[in-house]
């Protein structure tokens, strides 16, 4: 999987006004390959950590702009690191209506970035992973391109637009509706082509398509379509 730009908006994607470039949100889910994640980061990224994501940031040698959450996952060493680094903390009660990652997304959207990259959001508790995937809807409605990424998977959401993908022959691409249906789905460069197809929520037809060359594309006319690029 390409570490930068593996999934990107195509030429038909809508224009997005932004004040800044990219916000990276680091949550507390699994980060198993530190070097992989370091290569994803750019010097001009604005970093927000979600609660236990502070542990990842410290280990990776990063200094976030903000740590947000109920702070129930932080040990004394991390609290000392936050204090000594003068890192601002936004504390919320443990009993609240929204997840810490949801709160971080809302903060990131107020910064009006061009893109939000979410790390440490996949592979942990299933309920949190599902909630994190659904947060892509909030970003899309706000007109901000968002990706969830780990060592094996890259996930985005599209609606009424075209997405360009880069990968290797044999890499997988799965298409899953996040609305009752997604229609007008057309693919290029994949083993099992779709031409103005409709996928319905709950069916598995869109799972495990494959790259046949290094570039591919997916377009959808209506509905929310989650695109997952993954490798073995």
């Amino acid at each position: 999987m390409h570490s930068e730009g593996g999934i990107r908006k195509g030429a038909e994607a809508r224009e997005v006004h932004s004040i800044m470039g990219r916000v990276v949100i680091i949550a507390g889910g699994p980060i198993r390959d530190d070097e992989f994640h370091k290569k994803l980061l750019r010097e001009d990224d604005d970093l927000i950590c979600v609660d236990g994501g502070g542990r990842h940031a410290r280990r990776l040698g990063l200094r976030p702009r903000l740590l947000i959450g109920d702070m129930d996952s932080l040990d004394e060493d991390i609290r000392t690191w936050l204090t000594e680094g003068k890192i601002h903390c936004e504390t919320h009660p443990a009993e609240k209506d929204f997840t810490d990652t949801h709160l971080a997304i809302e903060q990131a959207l107020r910064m009006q970035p061009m893109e939000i990259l979410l790390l440490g959001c996949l592979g942990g508790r299933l309920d949190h992973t599902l909630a994190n995937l659904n947060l892509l809807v909030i970003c899309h409605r706000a007109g901000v391109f968002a990706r969830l990424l780990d060592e094996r998977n890259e996930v985005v959401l599209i609606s009424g637009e075209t997405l360009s993908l880069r990968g290797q022959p044999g890499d997988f691409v799965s298409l899953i509706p996040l609305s009752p249906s997604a229609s007008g789905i057309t693919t290029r460069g994949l083993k099992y082509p779709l031409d103005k197809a409709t996928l319905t929520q709950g069916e598995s037809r869109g799972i495990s398509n494959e790259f046949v060359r290094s570039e591919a594309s997916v377009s959808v006319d209506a509905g929310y379509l989650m695109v997952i690029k993954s490798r073995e």
Side-chain angles (χ1 to χ4, degrees), residues 1 23 40 43 56 69 94 97 105 108 123 149 168 173 184 191 197 207 216:
M1 182 176 296
V23 174
L40 296 174
E43 289 186 2
H56 297 318
D97 292 333
I105 286 284
L149 190 62
Q168 299 296 324
V173 177
K191 184 175 181 179
I207 300 298

Side-chain angles (χ1 to χ4, degrees), residues 14-15 20-21 49 57 72 90 110 126 139 143 146 161 182 199 216:
R14 62 190 182 283
E15 293 290 330
M20 59 176 301
C49 285
D72 63 351
E90 184 178 306
R110 287 192 286 271
L126 179 59
C139 297
E161 59 204 310
L199 295 179

